[in-house]
Amino acid sequence: MSDEMERRESHAPPVTTVFADGDMPDHLAEMSDDEAALAALGYKQEFKREFSAWTTFAVSFAVMGLLPSIATTMWYGLGYAGPAANTWGWLLSVFFILCVAASMAELASSMPTSGGLYYAAAVLAGPKYGPFAAWITGWSNWFVQVTGAPSVDYGCAAMTLAAASIVNPEYIPTNYQTFLLTVFIMLTHACISSMPTLWIANFNSVGTTINLLCLLIVIIIIPTAAMSDPKFQPNSFAWGIQNNTDWPDGIAVLMSFLSIIWTMSGYDASFHLSEECSNAAVATPRSIVMTAGSGSVLGFILNTLIAYTIQDVNEVIESDLGQPFAAYLVQILPQNVALAVLAMTIVCAYSMGQGCMVAASRVCFAYARDDCFGIASRPLKKVNRYTLTPVNAVWFNTSIGIVLLLLIFGGAAIDAIFSIGAIAAYVAFTTPIFLKIVFVGNKFRRGPWHLGAFSLPSGIAACCFVVVMLPILCFPSTRGDDLTLDEMNWTALVYGAPMFLVVVWFFVDAHKWFKGPKINIEHRMLHQQLPGLEGIGIDAPIPVGGKDLDVERGSVSKTPSV
C-alpha cells in the first residue's frame, strides 16, 4: 500500500457510513476533519461550516422554543389532565424523552449529516431493507418539519390577536384574520431562511439569547407579580389531576403528554445542521443533549409555576380570548404586566418559527439530494449560487405549510398539526434507534460521543415510550355519544393517509429508483470490487482537487459499514 493510500486511511474518520468495507472517498488527505467525516458518509461539502456548537444549539433551542411551545400547547396539557400534566406528568415523560435525545445524539456523532435520521435508518437497516427504512423515516421526518413552522406561527398569530383582544375586549379574532396573519409570519420566515448561512446563524443566535432572557424574566415575573388570592395553590392542587376528558385519569395524563412531546421535539434540528457545523461529530451530539437537558429543567420550572399559580383551569381553557396562555396571564397578573409577558412570548414564538423554517429547509434539501421527492427533487436539491442556501426547499416547504393552514377553517382539525408534529417526529426519531439496538447491536460503529454501557437501556426505554404513546396521541378527548365531528381527533387521518400513500408509492414505483442515500463524491474501491456499485473504479482518473463532480455519479446499492 502506498504512503498516499495509508495517509488517506489514517485520515478517514470512524463513522457509520453507506460505503462498503474497503471503499472510501478520494482526496481525504486534502480535506479538513469535518469535510473528511462528511466525505466518509458519501457526501461532498456544499454548505459553509459557519455554525459553532453554540449557534447550532441556538437554532435547536429556538426550534424547541420552551416559552412559546408551552404557551401554544396549554390546551393539551392543562386542558386534558389539569395541573398534574405540568408537574409529575412533565417529570415522567421527560425521562423517556431524554432517552430518545441521548440515543439520537449517539447516532449524530456517528453520522453527522443533514440527512440525519433518514441516513441512519438506511445504513442500519442494511442493503435489503435500507431503502424502505429510509423512505419511511425520511417522509415521517419531513412531515413533522413541514408542519413545524405553520403550527408555531399559528400559535404566534393566535397570541398576537389575543393581545389585541385584551386591549380591546370588544374585539374577537376570526379564523380568516388568524389565517392571514399566520401566512404573513410564514412569508417573513421564508425570506430570512433564504439568506446566507452566516446571517441565519447570527439571527438565530440573537433569537436564542432573547428566548433565554424572556424565559427567565417570565419565570421571575409570574411568582412575584401574581395578584391572585391565594397567590400559590396547595400541593394537592398543583400535583392533582383535573380530568377534562371522557377517559380514565391515567389515560388523560398520557394524553396530556402531547403538550410535552411537542414542546420537547426541537432538539433534532442540530442533527440537520451538522453539515454547516464545525467539529460536527462532537458539537452536534452535545447540542442535542444540551437542548434536551436545558429544556427539561427550564420547562419543568415554568410548568410548575403555572400549576401553582393558575386559579381556574376551565376558565383558562374556555376563555373567549381563544388562547389559554393569554387567558392565564390575565387571570393572575395586572393587565399591563400580562401584556408585557405575552409580548415576550410572541417575540420568542417568532424566533422559534424561524428556527423551524431553517431546519425544515435543510431536511428537505437532504432528502431531495437522494431523490426522495421523485421528479420534484431536481429543483429542491439545488443550492442558491449567491446565498449558498437551499432557497428552493425553503419556498417549497412554505407553500405546503400555507396549504396546511387552511385547516384553521376546519375547527378542531387544526389540532392535527400539533399531533402530527408529535407522532411524526418520534416515529422518525426512534426508527433508527430501534434498528440500531435490534438489528445492529454491538456492530454499530460509534462516533467520538457515545453513551457507553447506557446505550442499550436508553434505546430500549426510548422505543417502548414511543410504542405506548403513538395510539394515545390519536385519542379524541371525548368518546361515545359525546363524540362529534368537531371533537374528533383527526391525527390518524391527517398523518396516516399521507403515510399510507407514501408506502403505496414505494411498493408500486419508488422501489425501482429509490435506493437510499446517494454517494455524491468521487470515491474508489481500495481492496475489492463490489457488485452493484456505481461510481469511480480504482483505475479511473481523479479530477484535480476533486472539482466539478457529478452529484448523480455515485448512486449506490451496496453493503454498508455499520
Side-chain angles (χ1 to χ4, degrees):
M1 182 179 292
S2 66
D3 291 340
E4 180 185 358
M5 193 170 294
E6 288 178 356
R7 190 165 58 252
R8 288 178 181 172
E9 284 193 322
S10 64
H11 195 57
V15 292
T16 299
T17 174
V18 293
F19 279 119
D21 289 335
D23 191 13
M24 66 169 56
D26 291 327
H27 307 292
L28 278 178
E30 303 168 13
M31 301 177 184
S32 68
D33 289 341
D34 281 315
E35 289 174 336
L38 186 60
L41 294 169
Y43 297 122
K44 62 182 178 181
Q45 186 71 46
E46 297 188 81
F47 298 124
K48 288 185 177 180
R49 290 189 179 269
E50 294 179 322
F51 278 91
S52 63
W54 163 251
T55 52
T56 304
F57 165 75
V59 174
S60 191
F61 194 86
V63 170
M64 177 176 288
L66 275 179
L67 179 57
S69 291
I70 291 171
T72 302
T73 59
M74 192 177 283
W75 269 297
Y76 315 111
L78 283 169
Y80 286 158
N86 287 35
T87 49
W88 63 268
W90 178 276
L91 291 176
L92 179 61
S93 60
V94 154
F95 169 78
F96 293 100
I97 290 171
L98 287 175
C99 289
V100 177
S103 296
M104 181 194 295
E106 194 172 44
L107 294 175
S109 180
S110 180
M111 294 168 272
T113 174
S114 292
L117 302 162
Y118 147 85
Y119 182 98
V123 173
L124 298 174
K128 184 175 182 180
Y129 301 107
F132 181 66
W135 185 260
I136 294 298
T137 303
W139 276 100
S140 188
N141 197 27
W142 181 73
F143 285 152
V144 66
Q145 297 294 336
V146 81
T147 58
S151 58
V152 173
D153 292 346
Y154 166 73
C156 182
M159 286 187 285
T160 303
L161 295 177
S165 187
I166 293 172
V167 175
N168 180 13
E170 296 181 359
Y171 168 69
I172 299 177
T174 61
N175 285 337
Y176 85 88
Q177 291 170 335
T178 305
F179 173 79
L180 291 177
L181 181 56
T182 307
V183 170
F184 173 76
I185 294 171
M186 282 198 65
L187 292 176
T188 62
H189 285 158
C191 292
I192 296 172
S193 298
S194 301
M195 294 178 179
T197 299
L198 184 59
W199 295 14
I200 298 173
N202 290 336
F203 182 91
N204 282 284
S205 181
V206 172
T208 298
T209 303
I210 294 174
N211 255 288
L212 282 170
L213 288 176
C214 288
L215 179 61
L216 294 175
I217 291 172
V218 170
I219 288 174
I220 295 171
I221 286 177
I222 288 177
T224 56
M227 61 179 186
S228 51
D229 185 24
K231 193 168 187 177
F232 297 105
Q233 299 284 8
N235 291 333
S236 58
F237 179 91
W239 294 76
I241 299 174
Q242 291 186 24
N243 190 345
N244 295 312
T245 74
D246 290 346
W247 300 92
D249 288 353
I251 299 297
V253 172
L254 290 176
M255 290 174 63
S256 73
F257 286 3
L258 168 59
S259 172
I260 306 165
I261 291 173
W262 193 87
T263 298
M264 294 289 295
S265 62
Y267 48 81
D268 65 307
S270 298
F271 207 158
H272 304 303
L273 292 172
S274 56
E275 290 186 30
E276 299 170 74
C277 179
S278 300
N279 193 23
V282 175
T284 298
R286 283 180 179 172
S287 176
I288 292 173
V289 173
M290 284 169 57
T291 305
S294 60
S296 299
V297 175
L298 294 173
F300 176 70
I301 294 173
L302 178 58
N303 271 298
T304 302
L305 285 173
I306 294 173
Y308 273 97
T309 55
I310 192 169
Q311 298 298 300
D312 189 328
V313 173
N314 290 331
E315 181 183 282
V316 165
I317 299 300
E318 298 170 5
S319 170
D320 290 337
L321 292 176
Q323 216 295 321
F325 187 68
Y328 158 74
L329 294 175
V330 171
Q331 188 181 85
I332 70 163
L333 297 173
Q335 179 172 308
N336 289 339
V337 178
L339 285 171
V341 172
L342 191 57
M344 288 188 286
T345 308
I346 292 169
V347 171
C348 292
Y350 186 86
S351 175
M352 178 185 177
Q354 171 58 34
C356 289
M357 184 73 76
V358 172
S361 66
R362 273 43 176 185
V363 171
C364 184
F365 164 80
Y367 295 166
R369 181 170 57 184
D370 295 332
D371 291 335
C372 285
F373 296 99
I375 59 174
S377 296
R378 182 172 292 275
L380 295 178
K381 63 185 174 184
K382 290 186 180 296
V383 175
N384 186 275
R385 68 177 65 183
Y386 302 106
T387 65
L388 296 180
T389 52
V391 174
N392 292 346
V394 170
W395 289 96
F396 175 73
N397 286 341
T398 302
S399 302
I400 299 296
I402 292 173
V403 172
L404 288 173
L405 287 173
L406 294 174
L407 291 172
I408 290 174
F409 300 101
I414 190 64
D415 296 344
I417 289 186
F418 293 93
S419 297
I420 288 174
I423 290 179
Y426 279 80
V427 167
F429 289 0
T430 54
T431 297
I433 296 172
F434 174 80
L435 293 172
K436 180 176 78 72
I437 64 177
V438 174
F439 296 104
V440 178
N442 294 330
K443 295 185 294 181
F444 177 69
R445 189 181 298 175
R446 301 185 302 195
W449 192 100
H450 57 82
L451 296 174
F454 293 100
S455 178
L456 180 60
S458 176
I460 292 174
C463 293
C464 290
F465 174 70
V466 172
V467 168
V468 170
M469 289 307 303
L470 285 182
I472 296 292
L473 295 178
C474 296
F475 285 9
S477 59
T478 59
R479 57 176 177 168
D481 295 337
D482 295 332
L483 183 59
T484 64
L485 289 178
D486 289 338
E487 297 295 328
M488 186 65 184
N489 186 335
W490 294 101
T491 304
L493 178 63
V494 178
Y495 173 69
M499 285 302 294
F500 174 76
L501 294 176
V502 164
V503 171
V504 171
W505 181 17
F506 180 84
F507 286 107
V508 171
D509 178 61
H511 74 279
K512 302 174 185 176
W513 44 265
F514 179 75
K515 303 302 179 184
K518 284 186 174 183
I519 290 175
N520 74 351
I521 192 167
E522 296 284 348
H523 65 103
R524 62 172 61 194
M525 295 300 302
L526 293 180
H527 304 298
Q528 55 183 316
Q529 293 290 340
L530 295 183
L533 178 63
E534 301 173 24
I536 308 302
I538 192 166
D539 297 324
I542 303 173
V544 177
K547 303 294 185 183
D548 299 324
L549 305 181
D550 182 357
V551 298
E552 301 294 339
R553 182 175 295 179
S555 61
V556 297
S557 176
K558 59 193 168 301
T559 304
S561 297
V562 294

